[in-house]
């Protein structure tokens, strides 16, 4: 039998007897080949998931066999990704099942030299003990005579890689504990987006969604390396290009995005306001604005108060500048008309509103403003916004662009042409940006400039138009919406301030607007307090409003760094963030951690932020000695996205549920598990405490159903709480049903509706092939599942589409409601011709043409009469470290309101210093992810970009004798790094103002740990922040570059010191105000 | 197998004129090791031609020569098979060679050829040594002699039927070069092993074989155009030149040595070494030609440019 | 209408078969993301290739197709505008990226020369190694005119792209094509792909990108066309592709003829030597005959 089998399969026989005489095909197949099946076809089950890397939010199918994940690939049903994945998404199997993952708890005792094993239970108990102890020891009931009810002894960082449910629980627990220093990547990534877009349009999220870019006629990608950082989203740009759109890329370096563009425009890092401002000038002076749109949907016609004086008149500052405090009195920027009033009729003191961090509260609701400003419909009043704008930008000429940005006038003209000829009733243009714009000391104003331009051209709220803010991590939008941020409560409700927000009424009054949906602020706040404190929150006790810890200033992640250095902050949670590599001034990040009592790191692998005490750069230079570092370090291995349920909110503001495919192994646990059980254990320890300050934590509503052997809390239960319940315990379908009387609860009002009808709307997965490109039945987007924001503006004032080609949402007179391709971002049945009576309040005060419904005046803001800390209009300021003088403003060459931290270890370069002559900019590579925790441990990604390198032009290489493929050392006042040299024309040297400015390009992903290694770019960067958003300037600084490797050991610090001395930096450089 | 090279200092990210991608090779160089596959080519040739000598010796009543031929054939074929198996990535799967018979694969044809040839060689020597089954022995000897020439030349097809420029472009002359080389080396071995009294045919064959070897090699390079460079430079060049010098010396020796044993042994050894050098030279030239993209690109470009390009 | 590539399955013993499947890789829309490289490794569980060192070859750090890299993305930086005679300020730089893969030749040299039948033609017309059969002889490596297939050191076997035979058999798209964000890699019936490719070249020419050309689409070429063909923006060798490869088995009959002649020559040479030797020393005959 066996013999017969053998002979039957013997190819020679089959050749002789069958058609395949030459033995090239059918005859030579082996048995194994005949039986071959794919492991996805034979898998036990397929689980629907979402890529855990970036904010594109690609759909994934996770295949499970024998309770092991055996394959992860793109989900063809997804309307966003259509089954495609970039290299990181494609490497998800290695991320989740590869050898890089740590699976047991590790412990480093104070002064210890090695990791020790610890069992999970013991570790949890130890952490709970430390939280209780540190909280007790550092409790602060009052500060400067005001009640603050908080601890500055504990901080938490991270959240953008986590699920919304996890972020919600972290913020809830920390707030319960009185911890205010809660931050995540959103701070260092896109916080200026929230302030920039929020003040301009009323919401801080991208105005459009990636798939809609296919309908653009012109796409300007500026401040984004779209193709590399959002590769799968980039398919929609390519789609537009195939349909004939013009694609323009404006960037300091020629990247894979530039390679796909019709026009690449090299620009000096840090000068976009000059460039965009000049386009605005072009549009205004040539009368190319979309007049009907501008008149009706923007605040162009509003007249500004007589006290306002422009930066053009004051050589770089606006009226209201106080050089002592380096802040503005923003009152002078207001519209002319009745002063801003609150619901109760009290006249709002704007300084009550203007606190550090408040700008970000416009993430879903504009700044307070008088809804009935004086208007001039002819746009000719010299103090109307339109005329102010015209004057303000009149000095931004093509010549200034050339002198400032290094862009030749012909190229500039091409951009103007492409943009203006592709805007109007029948055509739309879109901008796409990301952190090339956000990470500047004027980041917010970069985004404002683009907002102004897009409003003037009538490109907001329309198909193929908009401003696509390309967010970063898988859920960074979510971690802004349900924030783990110091200044925000869920739904962009600001954290209360010690000085002004003594009680609920005061608090609500300050944040309530007269017109629009923010008039209902009380409903949102009280519903949140009910979600936080449950039955303990009653009308009698102000719904426990007093439990909330209070802010006294900026408590951003960088302030926390200094608090650590100063010994104030003693305990630190890292929930998936790697500041030792990813945050500006990496050395100070590590020194701060070395000053802690305890540190908890939750991650997949032993990232640099977990091992600095052992092998960090300061240990190698001898600056620190392991045996002398008292920090106790706990490492907890985290569960991956395939091991837990939850939602990510992608850059489309879209919530997508990912289902757990398998249980986590070893000690790996979800962050939900960690936070829930930590909270439970802390509460157990404090149970029965009579201390008043323990009430806040004991009153927290903290019982979530747990599931399975691991006692995993139910993420669905958390999402339900976020969605909110009505008086009868029913899940609400819209925030319009929230009430301020305690009858409803809602963990995040803008997410209300995600569980409408008791259905997890975020888990909906109707294939894109079965619905329109807007795909409303895929996931759920905030607000209320609208995909293009402000889409009322896609119709003319009468409610008809601007053109047949660009029809999107329109008024159906027969039905008496708005209809179209999207869910109208408007009041459903408000007719276009409705005009509110003068005393109308809240949503009733919105007219039929108030397309920007979250704004206090219903208009898109060309001019921001409130909400920002550094000016109502953008101004070109030079970056903190710059090789150039500001050609426009002598007295205030840099953003006067920027936040400076001129401290040891964080020195700034003197202006136009010859010692640090080159511009340095940092960026991403397709093959790596952020600070590297999710890519440098993966062999498949590491081999693709294995080592840190720098990109320099042939001219710079010649000037500094750099050799291709050899080493170079790059030096700033903060540190020095080495990198392999890649000489390339893709890194242009710019000709401007009669000189050549060389730029050095650095990918910022590398660190010493993992498979792909190198020095972190952030050794070079400094901490200097945008005053609206506390975001650091990591996109433009200066440095020198020298051939060869950097010194190892102590010589490294000496090298940095030598350069500082040569630059004359013996002490803090005096900064012009 | 991946070859990772460090940047060579020469490469710049931006090169305007490419012969190929960063002037990197286009083909994969043969995975074969010079010692085993070079040895295989050489030893196979020795065996095949020796079988003909054996038959000739047998037919013309030169038992010493016959036995020497039979022995050389067996040693040659045995070692060559060993070398072949040794070079396989999975030696234990050697027998998979007989899974199928593929006329398109010289290696498959060769495997079947060797599978028939090797036993004949074994039988012919064994019977000779033991004196048993003389008839079978003689038949086996003649059988081996019939297959022998094919054994020597199929290897030329084997290497020519590749994309390796220096091999493929020589596919017309290569079998003759191999035939000549095999003749010379087998003659050399016969001159060493056979009694001087019987080595007359070997000495004459040595001269003729060498002439064929050198003539075919010369013609081959002439017809190859620029690819001949692969035979002229580097290791291949040294081997080829050494081989040719030895071959001439060996041939002259064969003419002059007469029945002087020592001289015969020396010339025989020279002939064998010559042939070994030339085989290794051919091998090296192949490797070199696959490493240098110019050998791939330039002739192909020329082919494209020539108006009467046909692929048939 | 475009010329069709042969349904080569018919020549290799498949009397009934699905249409011939393959790839059209449109390098003009490749964003060089290398998802194809990773997706292929992930699906086929191929090893990464340490040491992880910087090559300096633009963004290419894997350098070539190999036994463990079955898709390879090339990066070429050029001082040259994308559109011919563009002089319009659109920049004088272009960065070409192209994902290379096994060509699944109509006349596949690797397949022809494989002595074990490890390499075989599938019912989809693709060329696949059977790892349970391959004995690592390495013949295919030297035979491939594109330098695709290679032997791995650890297991001694030859490996290359299978065109995801295991997946397409189950009706799935190959892993690399499935991942490709811009659909630079298009998988499908070759006939359809050829039409698409022709249209794409036409469109690019209209757009001024006169460098656009197809590679491997021509059944009249040296391998009767590729099952994986390309749209390129420069000469093939710029991407590391041979400009006019030819399957060597085309010459096999001639080679066998020459080998046969050479074998006869050998026999004749030795016979001549024997004949000539019989006249040595005045026609002295060897001993046995004398007896
Ligand atoms: N592959 C990959 N994808 C990612 C990430 C990753 O690490 N790797 N990270 C994710 C995260 S967290 C984020 S936030 C996003 C970020 O996405 P991007 O913002 O696209 O990423 P970057 O490359 O950091 O910066 C974008 C571009 O800004 C340019 N740039 C720098 N300074 C300036 C300037 O002053 N003006 C202008 N116009 N451009 C400037 C840089 O040259 C760079 O090309 O990507 C997300 N996606
Ligand atoms: N110079 C310079 N600096 C920059 C930037 C720049 O462009 N230039 N970009 C900035 C930007 S935009 C950002 S977003 C930051 C990013 O900087 P970081 O956020 O510090 O960098 P990541 O590597 O993304 O860190 C996230 C960590 O979370 C871990 N993680 C992933 N999933 C989970 C999970 O489910 N649970 C837990 N507990 N951990 C998880 C990952 O393994 C990873 O180590 O860097 C900023 N820094
Ligand atoms: S990293 Fe971003 S673009 Fe890449 S697969 Fe994941 S979600 Fe998609
Ligand atoms: S490209 Fe090479 S490996 Fe692929 S089928 Fe053709 S000959 Fe074989
Ligand atoms: S190495 Fe394997 S696949 Fe290649 S020819 Fe030899 S047996 Fe066939
Ligand atoms: S078809 Fe499959 S095997 Fe071939 S390169 Fe693509 S993923 Fe790899
Ligand atoms: S996946 Fe597609 S776009 Fe990315 S490198 Fe490969 S072929 Fe190019
Ligand atoms: Mo980010």
């Amino acid at each position: 039998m066996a013999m017969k089998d053998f002979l039957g399969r013997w190819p020679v026989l089959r050749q002789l007897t069958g058609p395949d005489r030459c033995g090239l095909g059918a005859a030579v197949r082996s048995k194994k080949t005949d039986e071959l099946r794919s492991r996805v076809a034979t898998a036990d089950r397929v689980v629907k998931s979402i890529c855990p890397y970036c904010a594109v939010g690609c759909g994934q199918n996770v295949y499970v066999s024998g309770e092991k994940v055996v394959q992860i690939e793109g989900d063809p049903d997804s309307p966003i990704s259509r089954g495609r994945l970039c290299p990181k998404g494609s490497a998800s199997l290695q991320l989740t099942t590869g050898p890089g993952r740590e699976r047991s708890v590790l412990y480093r005792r104070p002064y210890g030299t090695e990791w020790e094993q610890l069992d999970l239970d013991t570790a949890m108990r130890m952490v709970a003990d430390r939280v209780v102890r540190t909280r007790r020891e550092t409790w602060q009931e009052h500060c400067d005579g005001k009640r603050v009810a908080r601890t500055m002894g504990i901080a938490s960082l991270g959240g953008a890689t986590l699920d919304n449910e996890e972020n919600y629980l972290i913020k809830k627990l920390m707030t319960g504990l009185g911890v205010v220093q809660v931050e995540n990547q959103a701070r260092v990534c896109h916080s200026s987006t929230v302030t920039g877009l929020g003040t301009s349009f009323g919401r801080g999220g991208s105005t459009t969604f990636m798939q809609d870019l296919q309908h653009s006629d012109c796409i300007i990608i500026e401040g984004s390396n779209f193709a590399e950082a959002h590769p799968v989203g980039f398919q929609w740009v390519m789609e537009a290009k195939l349909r004939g759109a013009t694609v323009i890329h404006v960037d300091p370096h020629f990247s894979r995005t530039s390679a796909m563009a019709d026009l690449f425009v090299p620009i000096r890092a840090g000068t976009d306001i000059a460039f965009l401002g000049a386009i605005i000038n072009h549009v205004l002076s040539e009368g190319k604005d979309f007049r009907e749109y501008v008149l009706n949907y923007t605040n162009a016609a509003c007249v500004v108060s007589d006290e306002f004086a422009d930066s053009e008149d004051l050589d770089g500052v606006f009226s209201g500048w106080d050089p002592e405090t380096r802040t503005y009195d923003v009152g002078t920027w207001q519209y002319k008309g009745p002063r801003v009033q609150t619901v109760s009729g009290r006249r709002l003191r704007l300084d009550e509103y203007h606190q550090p961090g408040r700008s970000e509260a416009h993430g879903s609701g504009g700044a307070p403003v008088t809804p009935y400003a004086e208007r001039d419909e002819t746009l000719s009043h010299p103090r109307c916004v339109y005329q102010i704008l015209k004057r303000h930008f009149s000095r931004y000429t093509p010549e200034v662009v050339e002198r400032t940005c290094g862009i030749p006038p012909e190229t500039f003209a091409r951009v103007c042409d492409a943009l203006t000829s592709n805007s109007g009733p029948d055509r739309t243009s879109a901008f796409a940006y990301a952190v090339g714009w956000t990470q500047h000391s004027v980041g917010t104003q970069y985004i404002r400039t683009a907002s102004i331009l897009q409003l003037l051209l009538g490109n907001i709220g329309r198909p193929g138009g908009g401003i696509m803010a390309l967010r970063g991590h898988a859920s960074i939008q979510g971690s802004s919406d349900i924030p783990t941020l110091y200044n925000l409560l869920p739904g962009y409700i600001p954290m209360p301030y010690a000085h002004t927000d003594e009680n609920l009424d005061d608090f609500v009054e300050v944040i309530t607007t007269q017109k629009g949906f923010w008039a209902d602020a009380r409903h949102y706040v009280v519903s949140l307090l009910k979600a936080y404190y449950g039955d303990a929150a009653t009308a009698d006790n102000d719904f426990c409003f007093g439990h909330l810890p209070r802010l006294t200033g900026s408590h951003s992640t960088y302030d926390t760094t200094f608090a650590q250095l100063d010994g104030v902050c003693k305990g630190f949670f890292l929930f998936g963030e790697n500041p030792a590599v990813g945050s500006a001034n990496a050395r100070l990040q590590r020194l701060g951690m070395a000053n802690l009592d305890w540190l908890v790191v939750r991650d997949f692998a032993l990232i640099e932020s977990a091992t600095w005490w052992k092998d960090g750069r300061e240990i190698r230079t001898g600056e620190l000695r392991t045996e002398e570092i008292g920090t106790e370090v706990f490492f907890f291995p985290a569960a991956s996205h395939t091991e837990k349920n939850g939602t990510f909110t992608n850059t489309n503001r879209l919530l997508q549920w990912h289902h757990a495919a398998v249980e986590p192994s070893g000690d790996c646990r979800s962050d939900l598990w960690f936070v829930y059980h930590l909270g439970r254990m802390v509460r157990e320890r404090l149970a029965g405490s009579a201390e008043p300050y323990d009430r806040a934590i004991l009153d927290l509503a903290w019982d979530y159903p747990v599931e399975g052997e691991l006692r995993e809390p139910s993420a669905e239960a958390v999402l339900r709480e976020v969605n909110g319940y009505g008086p009868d315990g029913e899940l609400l379908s819209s925030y319009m049903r929230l009430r301020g009387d305690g009858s409803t609860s809602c963990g995040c009002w803008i997410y209300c509706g995600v569980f409408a009808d008791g259905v997890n709307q975020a888990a909906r997965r109707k294939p894109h092939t079965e619905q329109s490109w807007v795909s409303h039945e895929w996931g759920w987007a905030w607000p209320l599942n609208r995909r293009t924001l402000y889409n009322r503006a896609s119709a003319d004032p009468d409610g008809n589409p601007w053109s047949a080609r660009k029809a999107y949402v329109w008024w159906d007179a027969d039905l008496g409601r708005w209809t179209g391709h999207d869910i109208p971002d408007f009041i459903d049945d408000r007719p276009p011709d409705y005009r509110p009576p003068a005393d109308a309040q809240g949503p009733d005060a919105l007219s039929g043409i108030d397309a920007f419904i979250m704004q206090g005046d219903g208009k898109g803001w060309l001019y921001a009469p409130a909400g920002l800390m550094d000016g109502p209009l953008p101004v070109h300021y030079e970056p903190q470290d710059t090789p150039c003088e500001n050609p426009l403003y002598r007295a205030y060459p840099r953003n006067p309101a920027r936040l400076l931290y001129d401290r040891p270890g964080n020195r700034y370069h003197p202006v136009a210093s010859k010692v640090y002559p080159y511009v340095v900019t940092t960026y991403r590579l397709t093959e790596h992810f952020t600070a590297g925790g999710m890519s440098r441990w993966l062999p498949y990604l590491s081999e693709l970009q294995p080592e840190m390198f720098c990109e320099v032009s042939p001219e710079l290489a010649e000037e500094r004798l750099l050799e291709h493929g050899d080493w170079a050392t790059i030096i700033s006042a903060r540190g020095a790094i080495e990198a392999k040299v890649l000489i390339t024309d893709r890194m242009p040297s710019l000709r401007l103002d009669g000189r050549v400015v060389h730029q050095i390009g650095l990918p910022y992903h590398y660190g010493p740990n993992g498979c792909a290694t190198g020095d972190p770019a952030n050794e070079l960067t400094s901490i200097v922040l945008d005053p609206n958003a506390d975001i650091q300037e990591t996109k433009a600084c200066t440095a020198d570059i020298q051939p060869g490797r950097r010194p190892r050991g102590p010589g490294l610090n000496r090298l940095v010191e030598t350069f500082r001395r040569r630059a004359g930096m013996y002490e803090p450089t005096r900064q012009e105000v | 197998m991946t070859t990772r090279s460090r940047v060579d200092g020469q490469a710049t990210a931006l090169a305007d004129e490419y012969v190929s991608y960063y002037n990197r090779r286009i083909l994969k160089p043969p995975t074969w090791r010079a010692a085993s596959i070079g040895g295989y080519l050489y030893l196979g040739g020795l065996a095949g031609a020796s079988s003909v000598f054996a038959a000739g010796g047998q037919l013309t009543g030169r038992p010493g020569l016959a036995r020497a031929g039979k022995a050389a054939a067996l040693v040659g074929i045995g070692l060559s098979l060993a070398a072949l198996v040794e070079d396989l990535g999975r030696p234990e799967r050697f027998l998979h060679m007989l899974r199928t018979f593929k006329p398109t694969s010289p290696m498959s044809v060769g495997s079947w050829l060797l599978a028939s040839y090797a036993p004949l060689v074994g039988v012919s020597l064994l019977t000779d040594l033991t004196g048993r089954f003389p008839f079978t022995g003689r038949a086996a000897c003649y059988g081996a002699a019939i297959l022998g020439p094919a054994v020597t030349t199929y290897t030329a097809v084997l290497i020519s039927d590749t994309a390796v420029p220096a091999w493929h472009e020589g596919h017309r002359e290569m079998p003759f070069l191999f035939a000549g080389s095999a003749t010379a080396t087998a003659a050399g071995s016969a001159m060493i092993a056979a009694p001087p009294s019987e080595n007359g045919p070997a000495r004459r064959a040595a001269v003729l074989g060498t002439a064929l070897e050198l003539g075919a090699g010369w013609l081959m390079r002439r017809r190859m155009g620029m690819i001949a460079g692969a035979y002229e430079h580097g290791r291949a060049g040294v081997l080829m030149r050494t081989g040719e010098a030895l071959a001439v010396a060996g041939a002259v020796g064969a003419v002059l040595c007469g029945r002087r044993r020592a001289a015969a042994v020396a010339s025989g050894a020279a002939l064998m070494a010559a042939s070994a050098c030339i085989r290794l030279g051919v091998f090296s030239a192949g490797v070199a030609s696959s490493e240098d993209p110019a050998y791939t690109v330039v002739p192909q470009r020329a082919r494209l440019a020539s108006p009467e390009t046909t692929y048939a | 209408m475009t010329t069709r590539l042969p349904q080569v399955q018919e020549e290799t013993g498949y009397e009934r078969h699905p249409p011939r499947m393959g790839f059209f890789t449109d390098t003009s829309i490749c964003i060089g993301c290398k998802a194809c490289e990773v997706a292929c490794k992930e699906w086929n569980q191929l090893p990464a290739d340490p040491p992880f060192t910087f090559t300096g070859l633009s963004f290419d750090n894997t350098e070539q197709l190999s036994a463990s890299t079955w898709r390879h993305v090339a990066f070429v930086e050029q001082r040259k505008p994308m559109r011919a005679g563009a002089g319009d300020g659109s920049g004088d730089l272009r960065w070409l990226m192209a994902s290379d893969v096994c060509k699944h030749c109509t006349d596949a040299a690797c397949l022809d020369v494989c002595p074990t039948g490890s390499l075989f033609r599938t019912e989809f017309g693709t060329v696949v190694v059977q790892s349970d059969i391959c004995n690592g002889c390495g013949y295919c490596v030297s035979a491939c005119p594109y330098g695709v297939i290679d032997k791995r050191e650890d297991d001694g076997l030859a490996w290359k792209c299978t065109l995801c035979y295991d997946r397409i058999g189950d009706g799935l798209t190959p892993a690399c094509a499935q991942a490709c964000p811009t659909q630079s890699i298009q998988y499908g019936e070759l006939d359809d792909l050829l039409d698409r490719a022709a249209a794409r070249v036409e469109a690019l020419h209209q757009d001024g990108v006169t460098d656009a050309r197809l590679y491997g689409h021509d059944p009249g070429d040296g391998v009767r066309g590729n099952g994986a063909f390309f749209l390129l923006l420069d000469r093939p060798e710029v991407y590391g592709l041979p400009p006019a490869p030819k399957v060597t088995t085309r010459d096999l009959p001639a080679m066998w003829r020459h080998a046969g002649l050479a074998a006869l020559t050998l026999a004749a040479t030795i016979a001549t030597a024997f004949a000539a030797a019989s006249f040595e020393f005045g026609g002295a005959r060897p001993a046995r005959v004398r007896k």
Side-chain angles (χ1 to χ4, degrees), chain A residues 358-416:
Chain A
R358 268 285 158 91
S359 305
E360 222 176 337
H362 310 312
S364 188
V369 70
T370 170
Y372 304 108
E374 194 179 314
R375 286 177 66 87
D376 170 32
E377 305 296 331
T378 68
L379 303 186
S380 56
H381 190 297
R383 297 193 70 77
C384 82
V385 163
Y386 190 82
Q387 293 298 333
I388 290 178
L389 211 61
K390 230 173 156 167
R391 287 195 302 276
H392 179 83
F393 286 109
S394 61
R395 281 205 296 152
Y396 290 71
T397 59
E399 294 66 47
V400 166
V401 171
E402 183 167 35
R403 286 180 61 198
T404 314
C405 315
I407 299 171
E410 318 79 71
T411 315
F412 174 74
R414 277 183 44 119
V415 179
C416 290

Side-chain angles (χ1 to χ4, degrees), chain A residues 176-378:
Chain A
L177 288 168
V179 174
V180 291
Q181 301 172 98
V182 182
E183 286 275 271
N184 79 72
Q185 287 88 344
R187 175 68 56 222
V188 300
C189 177
H190 262 282
S191 51
S192 46
T193 286
V194 178
T195 52
L197 296 178
T199 40
S200 303
F201 308 123
R203 296 192 192 94
S206 173
T207 77
T208 179
F209 57 107
M210 291 172 289
Q211 302 94 290
D212 190 51
L213 290 174
Q214 64 184 299
H215 297 124
S216 296
D217 300 300
C218 172
I219 301 174
I220 299 196
I221 303 168
E222 184 171 348
S224 155
N225 188 354
F226 203 153
E228 300 198 39
H230 301 86
V232 181
F234 194 71
Q235 67 179 281
W236 301 109
V237 176
M238 296 303 281
E239 202 77 42
K241 202 178 165 197
L242 289 176
R243 295 174 180 208
T246 305
V247 178
I248 297 174
H249 190 215
V250 187
D251 202 286
H253 87 296
F254 187 105
S255 66
R256 281 173 268 198
T257 306
S258 328
M260 293 296 121
D262 296 295
L263 176 64
F264 167 65
V265 182
I267 187 172
R268 173 165 66 92
T271 64
D272 296 60
I273 293 179
F275 175 72
L276 295 170
I279 305 182
I280 293 177
N281 185 22
H282 169 83
V283 168
L284 289 174
S285 54
E286 308 266 311
K288 289 191 171 154
D289 55 297
F290 188 167
R291 188 55 60 87
E292 200 179 352
Y293 183 105
V294 169
L295 200 57
N296 288 286
Y297 300 149
T298 76
N299 65 356
C302 294
V303 177
V304 172
S305 97
D306 297 332
E307 296 154 75
F308 171 71
D310 191 62
S311 59
E312 297 306 283
D313 307 324
L314 303 178
D315 204 14
V317 286
F318 295 93
S319 52
W321 175 246
D322 177 355
E324 275 315 297
T325 57
R326 299 166 42 92
T327 55
Y328 281 106
D329 167 7
V330 303
T332 61
W333 305 347
Q334 277 284 325
Y335 293 142
K336 191 165 184 167
R339 293 262 98 171
V340 183
Q341 304 229 296
T342 65
V343 205
S344 67
R346 187 165 75 93
R347 187 160 285 177
L348 185 70
R349 294 205 337 273
L350 274 163
D351 60 326
E352 287 176 23
Y353 202 93
H354 268 255
Q355 306 279 5
R358 268 285 158 91
S359 305
E360 222 176 337
H362 310 312
S364 188
V369 70
T370 170
Y372 304 108
E374 194 179 314
R375 286 177 66 87
D376 170 32
E377 305 296 331
T378 68

Side-chain angles (χ1 to χ4, degrees), chain C residues 102-105 108-111 127 144-146 148-149 160:
Chain C
C102 166
K103 314 300 176 292
H104 296 276
C105 312
C110 63
L111 166 57
V127 179
C144 171
Y146 299 91
V148 170
I149 193 166
K160 71 167 190 75

Side-chain angles (χ1 to χ4, degrees), chain A residues 455-469:
Chain A
L455 281 173
L456 286 174
L457 295 171
N459 280 326
I460 301 292
R462 303 180 55 210
I467 299 184
M468 185 70 235

